[in-house]
Amino acid sequence: MKTSDYIKFLVAGIFFGIVITKAELISWFRIQEMFRLQSFHMYGVIGSAVVTGMLSVWLIKKFKIKSLDGEPIKIADKKFNKGQIYGGLIFGFGWAITGACPGPLFAQIGTGALVVIVTLLSAILGTWVYGKFRDKLPH
């Protein structure tokens, strides 16, 4: 990759961080409201993201849309397994306890919530543990 490619990704990441910050998607209080079923804000954002993703995948498949490099986009079928339930529960518990999921961690740190560094290090450790024991886990 060229340096200009990295700059594009950096700019996109900064833009994404600004958007999720302004939309209050990194707010610990908003996340707690969601898990306590006190507010529709986060459910509305997540729901609209799911609908947008579904529509995008449908359009890509229907019109055989190609990547920016002109290559065909292939979306592999996913097979369900019970490990997804366990992983989803662990992810959800961690999200509820810390008030953060991997997406907004850097934006939260960037706003000065330095305690989120503990969550970031925990996410990195959890990823390492999964990689270490992946072959022994139910898939």
Side-chain angles (χ1 to χ4, degrees):
M1 280 187 131
K2 298 178 293 187
T3 304
S4 62
D5 291 335
Y6 291 113
I7 292 171
K8 288 188 287 191
F9 294 131
L10 177 65
V11 170
I14 290 170
F15 177 73
F16 178 70
I18 291 168
V19 169
I20 64 174
T21 300
K22 291 294 185 183
E24 297 184 356
L25 301 180
I26 66 166
S27 167
W28 184 87
F29 298 104
R30 285 287 189 185
I31 293 167
Q32 288 302 306
E33 284 178 337
M34 175 184 68
F35 281 109
R36 292 180 180 165
L37 305 174
Q38 295 172 332
S39 174
F40 182 74
H41 182 82
M42 294 295 285
Y43 292 112
V45 171
I46 293 168
S48 64
V50 168
V51 170
T52 301
M54 290 170 55
L55 180 62
S56 299
V57 168
W58 179 76
L59 288 170
I60 288 168
K61 287 182 176 182
K62 179 165 179 63
F63 296 109
K64 298 181 180 12
I65 296 173
K66 298 186 186 302
S67 72
L68 293 176
D69 295 329
E71 299 175 14
I73 298 173
K74 296 178 183 159
I75 301 172
D77 291 333
K78 303 284 184 182
K79 183 179 161 190
F80 176 78
N81 65 63
K82 64 182 177 183
Q84 294 165 335
I85 299 294
Y86 302 136
L89 286 170
I90 292 169
F91 180 87
F93 289 142
W95 192 10
I97 291 168
T98 64
C101 69
L105 284 177
F106 294 104
Q108 287 176 318
I109 294 168
T111 62
L114 299 181
V115 70
V116 178
I117 293 171
V118 174
T119 305
L120 175 62
L121 294 174
S122 299
I124 292 169
L125 177 64
T127 303
W128 181 85
V129 168
Y130 173 76
K132 184 79 172 161
F133 295 104
R134 184 175 195 275
D135 296 337
K136 297 173 182 70
L137 296 171
H139 285 97

